[in-house]
Every structure is written in C-alpha cells, then in structure tokens.
Amino acid sequence: MRKRDKEPIYSQFEIDVILFYGTMIMLLPIVLVITYVFEIDEVVNIDRFMFWVLVANFFLTAVGTLVLALRKDHLRRKVKPAYIPEFVYLLFVAGFGLLGIVVLYDYLDGNRQYIANVLSILLALLVYVLIFLGRRFFKYDYMKKQ
C-alpha cells in the first residue's frame, strides 16, 4: 500500500471539535423544537426568547472553544480506529436540528406551503454532509458492504 493510499486516523480532538460545533450550530433549532412541542411560544414572546437563546449559544460556544483549546494536547493523544457512537450522536443532533429549522421557518412567518420544499432541500444537504463526515472523520461508511 502506498503512503498516500492510507487513510488518516483522527484523534479525539478533531472528533470533539466536529461534535461541539455541530451541536452549537443546531442548538437554537433543537431548543425551538422543545418550545414547539410544549407550546412555550404561547406563553413567551418567541422573538425575545430566540434572541436570548442566541446570546446563550454564543456564550456557550466561546466557553466550549476555550475548553477545547485547553484540552487540545490531552485529546490529541486519544485515538480510536472508528467513532461510531459519536457519529450516532451527530445523527440525532442533525435530525432534531433539521426539525428545528422547520420550526424556525414557521416562527419567522414563512409560508407554510413551502415547508416541504425547505425540508427536502435541507435534508438532501444534511445527508450529503453526514455521509462525507461519516466516511472521512468517523470511519463509518454505511453505504459500503461489510
């Protein structure tokens, strides 16, 4: 096997960075799913609520980035051949985030007739990104025969 044919094995740091920023990107939509399910939008002003969730999200992102930077050396020493549980976590975050984006579209007074169009385009994009990440970083290729 030639040197360039070898696939790199990524450390726990790279995986944690992907999981952390994926979670932070999808945090607002996930919180919006919870507000939609429990009808919190009828009790509070949803615009103000989304603003404060965004502020908290930026704060959590800054703190998490600092923690990741401080633990970088330690996490770079941890290596596994595959990261299947971490990929499953990313799938759940992406799924609930996708539902949350649809809820966000509804909260922002988007035309409800186009929710299926928005959902199908976002689903196709999200599946492509997840397949790419699964193959490249998590060493999980569910399209390949085992």
Side-chain angles (χ1 to χ4, degrees):
M1 184 179 266
R2 294 185 312 218
K3 186 173 183 174
R4 65 182 170 126
D5 290 341
K6 291 182 185 180
E7 291 201 25
I9 297 176
Y10 295 98
S11 68
Q12 187 70 44
F13 174 73
E14 285 89 5
I15 301 302
D16 284 353
V17 166
I18 293 170
L19 294 177
F20 176 71
Y21 287 113
T23 303
M24 289 297 106
I25 289 170
M26 293 295 185
L27 185 64
L28 175 66
I30 291 172
V31 170
L32 291 181
V33 167
I34 295 168
T35 62
Y36 192 78
V37 168
F38 293 113
E39 297 178 352
I40 296 173
D41 57 327
E42 295 178 4
V43 179
V44 298
N45 180 357
I46 198 65
D47 295 330
R48 186 172 291 147
F49 181 77
M50 282 192 299
F51 171 75
W52 287 112
V53 170
L54 275 175
V55 168
N57 193 3
F58 284 128
F59 177 73
L60 287 174
T61 303
V63 170
T65 301
L66 182 64
V67 170
L68 279 173
L70 291 175
R71 295 182 43 96
K72 182 177 182 178
D73 292 334
H74 174 71
L75 291 174
R76 281 203 188 264
R77 290 187 211 119
K78 293 173 116 181
V79 177
K80 295 192 309 189
Y83 297 93
I84 306 303
E86 291 86 351
F87 185 68
V88 171
Y89 168 79
L90 189 63
L91 287 175
F92 278 110
V93 167
F96 280 108
L98 185 64
L99 289 174
I101 290 172
V102 172
V103 171
L104 178 64
Y105 179 80
D106 188 38
Y107 281 160
L108 295 176
D109 294 328
N111 191 345
R112 287 187 172 206
Q113 292 177 342
Y114 299 119
I115 286 180
N117 298 352
V118 170
L119 184 62
S120 61
I121 289 170
L122 289 176
L123 179 64
L125 180 67
L126 193 61
V127 165
Y128 175 76
V129 168
L130 287 173
I131 288 173
F132 172 76
L133 289 175
R135 284 182 183 163
R136 174 108 187 246
F137 293 99
F138 295 92
K139 302 300 181 231
Y140 182 69
D141 191 6
Y142 55 91
M143 304 289 277
K144 188 187 289 186
K145 291 183 181 180
Q146 299 295 331

